[in-house]
Amino acid sequence: MGAGMSSGRRRSFYGGGGGGGVGRPSGMLPLLALQVLLEYGRAGASRPPVTAALLAANALVYLRPGSLDALLPSLHRVAFNPHLIIHYCDLTRFFLSAFYHLSETHFFYNMTSLLWKGIQLETSMGSVEFASMVAALLGMSQGITLLLSKGLLLFGNDAAYYDQYAVGFSGVLFGMKVVLNAWSDDYVFLHGMVIPAKYAAWAELLLIQAFIPGTSLIGHLGGILAGLAYLWLKRSFSGPDPLSLLISGIGKVVRWPVGFVQKLFRSGRPQGYTASRGRVGRGSARENGRVVRVRTMLFLVDSTSKLEGMGSRPSRRFAVGGSRDFPDDNRSRVADELLEPILRASIPEVHIDRNRA
């Protein structure tokens, strides 16, 4: 909930536009795209899919390309307002306001933060649990913000927070920051101050409120409290949470058609075909009194022991696989002698013909 305005500043909040972002372009979008490409394009990158999907969803809502401009609701229709949500039970404002941003600067900083936090958390937690956490933080941060604004009104507040409009993904990001640094013993450098990482979210809350006007204090505070609540729930209840099980079940349903097609293609292979182990027919290895010679592929495995009969060099330990010829007949004979008892014990009908070259 990165930016919020009171009801008295409603015109400046909407800016006269109906789209996702109302600020003047400042050239930050190419820089954001470059950061995403560097993170997901580098060699060995984990490329977490849920983080990429969240970035794409926020980008599509902000840019509103093509026909999406007519399909997506306008910013003034989804801006988070506690009074309207409670009075009209407006779930559109409750859930969708997090994916809207006021300006290019607002969008850039939130997505940069999401890119950095999302990659770290999803890589360590796994995609299913990370998706479950984001969904939980979204619901809890919005719900806590709603309760805080209503509570302040009941305690005699002048309705500034209760009739405040706000948009942005910052509430979820504050919750992610709490989860990311919960067990960290590191220190962070924040605007000239060195503070423990576990308290960085609280320091950032105060600094943003002091130096960036128009931000939503209770929206950011709701995100921090949501992160603390999520950690407490994870510690209190062992095992996978119901939301993770639901997301995992949906993933299995989505992957089932792909697996079914793969099985169809596998069933079309010739009988007796085994991937990476060569081809051995279904029938007996002895056909019409003829001895079938079985060749094996031997994968070299590191070993420090020595094998008698192969000189003073370090020996080789082997694993049975498909088919490959040895460079000389001596090694082939040694390997056959080693493997013959194993093959006879597991496949009695197969004989090794060592006399054939």
Side-chain angles (χ1 to χ4, degrees):
M1 194 117 355
M5 303 290 178
S6 65
S7 59
R9 301 176 63 180
R10 194 170 298 182
R11 178 169 298 182
S12 63
F13 176 81
Y14 294 142
V22 297
R24 182 176 299 176
S26 56
M28 290 185 172
L29 293 182
L31 183 59
L32 175 62
L34 179 61
Q35 290 187 30
V36 175
L37 288 176
L38 288 176
E39 287 293 337
Y40 277 82
R42 60 188 174 86
S46 57
R47 301 180 181 90
V50 178
T51 300
L54 290 172
L55 289 168
N58 279 274
L60 289 174
V61 171
Y62 180 77
L63 297 174
R64 307 171 72 90
S67 58
L68 279 180
D69 189 29
L71 294 176
L72 293 173
S74 59
L75 186 143
H76 72 270
R77 175 64 185 85
V78 301
F80 188 92
N81 182 282
H83 169 69
L84 296 177
I85 292 174
I86 294 176
H87 191 266
Y88 296 103
C89 194
D90 194 342
L91 296 181
T92 301
R93 295 182 185 274
F94 186 87
F95 289 108
L96 294 187
S97 58
F99 297 92
Y100 282 69
H101 293 83
L102 277 178
S103 64
E104 188 171 315
T105 304
H106 184 206
F107 175 75
F108 172 80
Y109 284 113
N110 274 1
M111 293 303 101
T112 302
S113 179
L114 173 61
L115 177 66
W116 182 73
K117 295 182 180 72
I119 287 178
Q120 293 188 77
L121 286 169
E122 186 174 354
T123 301
S124 61
M125 300 171 67
S127 295
V128 172
E129 188 174 354
F130 176 73
S132 170
M133 183 199 70
V134 171
L137 290 178
L138 174 62
M140 288 193 295
S141 63
Q142 302 287 70
I144 292 173
T145 301
L146 204 64
L147 293 176
L148 287 174
S149 59
K150 184 65 175 179
L152 290 172
L153 179 67
L154 295 177
F155 279 102
N157 186 269
D158 60 356
Y161 291 114
Y162 189 64
D163 201 23
Q164 183 185 72
Y165 289 88
V167 292
F169 210 68
S170 301
V172 179
L173 294 174
F174 268 92
M176 291 171 63
K177 192 179 190 74
V178 171
V179 176
L180 181 63
N181 296 325
W183 295 280
S184 176
D185 295 325
D186 297 333
Y187 287 80
V188 296
F189 186 81
L190 189 63
H191 292 277
M193 299 182 298
V194 179
I195 59 175
K198 63 179 67 177
Y199 304 124
W202 293 101
E204 190 174 342
L205 171 69
L206 299 177
L207 289 172
I208 289 177
Q209 196 63 29
F211 295 107
I212 304 178
T215 56
S216 175
L217 173 64
I218 61 170
H220 293 166
L221 179 59
I224 293 177
L225 296 178
L228 294 174
Y230 177 82
L231 291 174
W232 179 81
L233 291 171
K234 292 294 288 184
R235 286 193 296 263
S236 302
F237 302 98
S238 60
D241 57 275
L243 195 55
S244 294
L245 294 177
L246 176 62
I247 295 174
S248 179
I250 294 174
K252 290 179 181 178
V253 171
V254 172
R255 290 193 299 268
W256 181 83
V258 179
F260 180 73
V261 173
Q262 289 177 343
K263 288 181 180 179
L264 288 179
F265 278 106
R266 288 198 194 103
S267 64
R269 290 175 176 172
Q271 291 182 345
Y273 177 84
T274 304
S276 77
R277 291 178 180 253
R279 173 172 175 153
V280 180
R282 285 187 66 189
S284 171
R286 184 183 297 272
E287 298 178 6
N288 299 327
R290 193 161 48 91
V291 177
V292 180
R293 184 175 188 269
V294 179
R295 286 184 177 179
T296 57
M297 179 168 63
L298 305 176
F299 297 94
L300 194 60
V301 183
D302 293 335
S303 176
T304 56
S305 62
K306 294 183 178 181
L307 184 67
E308 293 181 3
M310 293 191 68
S312 61
R313 292 174 297 175
S315 75
R316 285 135 188 179
R317 195 175 45 178
F318 300 95
V320 182
S323 100
R324 178 184 291 174
D325 292 330
F326 286 96
D328 59 278
D329 191 59
N330 290 332
R331 291 187 182 182
S332 180
R333 290 179 182 277
V334 171
D336 286 343
E337 290 174 1
L338 290 172
L339 293 169
E340 185 173 1
I342 301 174
L343 291 173
R344 283 182 173 174
S346 58
I347 314 175
E349 70 275 14
V350 177
H351 299 275
I352 305 296
D353 183 6
R354 293 196 298 269
N355 296 323
R356 287 187 62 178

